[in-house]
């Protein structure tokens, strides 16, 4: 399934391995035309739900580079590590907690000695093997920092601890640093949220997970600032809001579930993940985290910066540091989830049809306009239709290859409607509209086409 997915993504212009002509970069990917359209549509659907439809959340687009102390205050420089295990034979690298997960052992956030205790036991039982080459010669777990470093600002200097500037490992750092400016400039009162979409970077240890886990990725995060006694109620509200968003875009209730974290960071009071059952990855995997973080983030940044980030409640005439709950999801991970969910193989006569049954709002292209032949008498009215429709929808005009191949291509990129201009069009001023999911074809007058499509596509 994974090979099929990666191959479809490359063949049809969704996702390419980055720098392929130079041999590629592990866990870094580029999005092609359709991948970019799909990703943007998912991002816009998230933004609409999180910002546009709410009066209590505002947007932000903060820089990737931040003052290095940001990541000391947040605890990332000291502790954003993943214990790793290396295969001495084939040099493959694995996350120790992921190896243990395969044996049903939950070692999420476990200390190094606990991880090595579990690994030693598996070694003694002769169960510990490299997933790549089968060798039993694996190292013990060692700590590996996930922070990516740069020399921005001191380009001629050698990279030393004193001049390192990190690439942000999560986008929420920028939200905490702009909390005060947001309150001061937009006069927001608690409770309110700040949402942003942007790139994050982690030196991930990865093992063939395609775009599930990448070293450069986009996060969509929302930090909700509130009074401490509101946490329980708002946390439940946001859980409902985020769960409903998945259902609204076509994910079924049996394809997602909640995973409750038992081991919490010392400042956190609650942490749940939404997990989706990936056909491609063979099981439920995290897609989004919803976390109650207490006042840790703003308190730490107050302490390290010396700037008072507390909130003044005019009614009660008191100052306090707001508590935060966050929703955090990877955009690339959502692209993968929607592709995984939409991917369908259907028998049509002797053949197998591959079709992406994406929600119409997320589909990269909404309408394909296909003249039956390359003859001017058909291409001319077809281009006219394209020129009219493209103002309202992302459309594609295609006159290459047979109509069967063109339908197949549009099915594989998930285009909900194909409009075919044929010789009959010249007589009846009508076109054939083919529905992606049912393959039912309907004859529609050209003058009514825009309205017909708008009724289905919105
Ligand atoms: P994991 O346990 O999978 O490494 P995490 O718990 O470290 O993830 P968070 O730091 O909570 O993840 O990040 C929030 C969200 O950001 C995740 O739910 C995921 O959707 C996304 N995300 C995190 N790391 C990556 C990555 N390397 N590639 C793609 N998306 C990511």
């Amino acid at each position: 399934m994974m090979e099929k997915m990666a191959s479809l993504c490359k063949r049809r212009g969704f996702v390419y391995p980055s720098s392929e002509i130079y041999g590629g970069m592990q866990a870094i990917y580029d999005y092609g035309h359709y991948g970019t359209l799909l990703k943007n549509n998912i991002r816009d659907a998230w933004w609409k739900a999180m910002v546009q439809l709410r009066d209590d959340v505002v947007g932000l687009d903060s820089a990737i580079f931040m003052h290095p102390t940001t990541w000391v205050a947040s605890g990332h420089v000291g502790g954003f590590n993943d214990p790793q295990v290396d295969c001495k034979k084939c040099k493959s690298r694995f996350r120790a907690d992921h190896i243990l997960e395969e044996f049903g052992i939950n070692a999420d956030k476990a200390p190094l000695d606990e991880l090595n205790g579990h690994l030693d036991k598996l070694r003694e039982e002769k169960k510990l093997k490299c997933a790549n080459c089968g060798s039993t010669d694996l190292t013990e777990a060692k700590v590996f920092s996930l922070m990516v470093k740069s020399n921005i600002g001191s380009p001629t200097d050698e990279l030393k601890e004193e001049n390192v500037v990190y690439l942000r490992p999560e986008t929420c750092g920028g939200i905490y640093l702009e909390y005060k400016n947001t309150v001061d400039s937009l006069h927001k009162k608690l409770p309110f949220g700040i949402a942003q979409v942007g790139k994050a970077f982690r030196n991930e240890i990865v093992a063939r997970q395609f775009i599930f886990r990448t070293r450069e990725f986009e996060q969509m995060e929302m930090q909700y600032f509130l009074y401490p006694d509101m946490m329980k109620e708002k946390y439940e509200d946001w859980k409902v809001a985020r769960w409903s968003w998945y259902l609204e875009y076509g994910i079924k209730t049996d394809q997602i579930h909640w995973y409750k974290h038992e081991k919490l960071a010392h400042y956190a009071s609650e942490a749940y993940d939404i997990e989706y059952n990936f056909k491609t990855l063979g099981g439920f995997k995290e897609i989004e985290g919803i976390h109650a973080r207490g006042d840790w983030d703003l308190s730490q940044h107050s302490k390290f910066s010396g700037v008072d980030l507390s909130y003044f409640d005019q009614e009660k005439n008191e100052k306090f540091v707001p508590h935060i709950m966050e929703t955090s999801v990877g955009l690339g991970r959502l692209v993968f989830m929607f592709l995984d969910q939409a991917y369908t193989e259907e028998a049509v006569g002797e053949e197998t049809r591959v079709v992406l049954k994406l929600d119409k709002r997320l589909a990269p292209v909404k309408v394909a306009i296909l003249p039956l032949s390359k003859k001017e008498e058909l291409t001319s009215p077809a281009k006219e239709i394209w020129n009219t429709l493209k103002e309202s929808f992302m459309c594609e005009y295609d006159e290459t290859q047979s109509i069967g191949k063109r339908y197949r291509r549009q099915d594989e990129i998930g285009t909900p409607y194909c409009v075919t201009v044929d010789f009959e069009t010249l007589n009846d001023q009508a076109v054939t509209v083919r529905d992606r999911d049912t393959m039912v074809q309907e004859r529609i007058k050209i003058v009514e086409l825009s309205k017909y499509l708008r009724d289905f596509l919105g």
Side-chain angles (χ1 to χ4, degrees):
M1 194 52 209
M2 179 64 108
E3 266 170 36
K4 276 188 188 172
M5 180 62 81
S7 140
L8 175 86
C9 283
K10 189 171 170 209
R11 190 161 41 85
R12 289 295 180 215
F14 281 92
V15 180
Y16 312 120
S18 177
S19 321
E20 207 179 7
I21 61 167
Y22 286 107
M25 295 268 290
Q26 221 204 347
I28 308 225
Y29 290 88
D30 297 331
Y31 286 84
H33 179 61
Y34 299 117
T36 307
L37 292 171
L38 173 61
K39 182 156 70 71
N40 290 350
N41 291 343
I42 297 170
R43 178 201 62 197
D44 294 347
W46 182 87
W47 191 264
K48 185 175 176 187
M50 301 298 283
V51 182
Q52 188 182 327
L53 297 181
R54 301 189 66 106
D55 62 0
D56 59 347
V57 179
V58 294
L60 177 73
D61 185 3
S62 70
I64 287 171
F65 293 106
M66 279 179 269
H67 193 286
T69 310
T70 309
W71 306 112
V72 180
S74 67
H76 282 81
V77 170
F80 195 44
N81 307 310
D82 268 341
Q84 71 180 48
V85 171
D86 289 330
C87 171
K88 290 189 192 162
K89 195 168 165 216
C90 74
K91 311 291 175 216
S92 293
R93 178 164 283 176
F94 306 97
R95 253 172 72 169
D97 59 333
H98 287 175
I99 296 181
L100 295 173
E101 209 177 282
E102 296 292 313
F103 293 94
I105 303 165
N106 180 356
D108 184 27
K109 298 194 177 64
L112 205 57
D113 50 354
E114 186 183 324
L115 288 168
N116 274 318
H118 288 301
L119 289 169
D120 286 345
K121 192 158 174 287
L122 291 170
R123 209 174 268 117
E124 273 164 34
E125 293 166 357
K126 303 213 181 320
K127 288 182 183 161
L128 195 61
K129 285 194 183 113
C130 169
N132 184 41
C133 72
S135 164
T136 52
D137 202 4
L138 301 182
T139 63
E140 61 175 21
K142 286 175 286 185
V143 159
F144 181 81
S145 170
L146 298 176
M147 298 294 282
V148 180
K149 296 173 179 176
S150 85
N151 65 344
I152 198 168
S154 50
T156 52
D157 288 352
E158 188 189 325
L159 196 61
K160 302 190 210 98
E161 278 315 308
E162 313 86 75
N163 64 11
V164 161
V165 181
Y166 297 96
L167 277 78
R168 63 182 178 197
E170 54 187 24
T171 54
C172 55
I175 298 182
Y176 306 138
L177 267 51
E178 292 306 348
Y179 159 76
K180 188 172 175 345
N181 278 333
T182 305
V183 172
D184 292 349
S185 60
L186 304 181
H187 310 290
K188 295 307 289 180
K189 299 262 177 284
L190 296 190
F192 77 94
I194 304 178
Q196 82 163 326
V197 181
K199 290 251 171 157
F201 302 82
R202 296 181 187 182
N203 247 328
E204 295 274 11
I205 304 158
V206 280
R208 288 167 300 189
Q209 288 175 307
F210 191 40
I211 53 169
F212 180 78
R213 189 182 303 286
T214 51
R215 291 187 171 131
E216 174 177 341
F217 58 100
E218 275 169 278
Q219 274 187 323
M220 306 197 289
E221 297 198 293
M222 191 281 309
Q223 307 290 311
Y224 202 70
F225 302 87
L226 36 67
Y227 291 91
D229 62 4
M230 282 180 178
M231 183 61 88
K232 239 182 151 37
E233 179 201 334
K234 294 293 175 192
Y235 191 82
E236 286 312 312
D237 289 351
W238 277 106
K239 272 179 75 187
V240 172
R242 292 307 303 145
W243 181 266
S244 315
W245 185 84
Y246 288 94
L247 303 191
E248 192 193 329
Y249 286 92
I251 303 296
K252 306 275 177 302
T253 39
D254 60 351
Q255 290 174 314
I256 46 176
H257 68 204
W258 289 108
Y259 170 78
K260 182 177 167 46
H261 283 263
E262 298 301 340
K263 287 180 198 148
L264 297 175
H266 64 90
Y267 49 82
S269 56
E270 198 87 86
Y272 276 86
D273 294 338
I274 296 179
E275 294 190 331
Y276 165 77
N277 193 6
F278 281 87
K279 297 188 278 247
T280 328
L281 296 171
F284 282 93
K285 301 275 177 207
E286 171 181 340
I287 43 170
E288 170 156 0
I290 300 176
H291 311 131
R293 302 177 59 90
D295 64 359
W296 159 260
D297 303 285
L298 291 184
S299 300
Q300 283 293 101
H301 289 303
S302 267
K303 190 169 128 194
F304 279 75
S305 66
V307 175
D308 183 5
L309 296 177
S310 55
Y311 179 83
F312 181 65
D313 182 345
Q314 282 170 333
E315 271 169 37
K316 292 187 186 152
N317 199 24
E318 65 184 29
K319 257 168 79 168
F320 66 99
V321 177
H323 284 219
I324 293 177
M325 62 133 306
E326 72 171 358
T327 71
S328 172
V329 61
L331 179 51
R333 215 170 262 195
L334 287 190
V335 170
F336 195 9
M337 177 193 77
F338 282 114
L339 286 171
D340 182 280
Q341 194 250 352
Y343 185 95
T344 314
E345 287 182 5
E346 283 174 358
V348 179
E350 299 286 286
E351 290 189 10
T352 304
R353 170 173 98 116
V354 172
V355 51
L356 288 186
K357 295 193 172 176
L358 288 164
D359 180 282
K360 288 171 188 169
R361 291 163 294 179
L362 302 183
V365 174
K366 314 295 184 208
V367 187
I369 296 100
L370 316 171
L372 197 63
S373 109
K374 277 189 191 165
K375 289 208 171 98
E376 163 79 22
E377 54 188 320
L378 294 193
T379 58
S380 170
K383 278 186 187 155
E384 220 170 283
I385 293 174
W386 176 63
N387 272 325
T388 311
L389 293 181
K390 73 184 184 188
E391 292 289 337
S392 312
F393 314 109
M394 186 71 210
C395 296
E396 191 165 279
Y397 172 84
D398 185 6
E399 58 179 41
T400 59
Q401 297 187 305
S402 73
I403 192 70
K405 280 194 177 145
R406 279 181 277 167
Y407 279 154
R408 215 164 310 148
R409 187 155 67 228
Q410 295 301 333
D411 283 347
E412 288 196 359
I413 62 167
T415 306
Y417 297 104
C418 288
V419 170
T420 306
V421 178
D422 53 28
F423 290 100
E424 207 32 49
T425 305
L426 305 176
N427 300 324
D428 67 359
Q429 296 301 305
V431 289
T432 303
V433 180
R434 173 185 179 268
D435 182 289
R436 175 195 70 195
D437 298 340
T438 60
M439 291 195 287
V440 167
Q441 304 197 358
E442 242 188 288
R443 201 75 187 158
I444 305 291
K445 289 275 177 212
I446 294 175
V447 287
E448 288 159 14
L449 186 61
S450 243
K451 185 184 174 312
Y452 174 89
L453 292 168
R454 233 193 317 270
D455 285 348
F456 289 107
L457 291 166

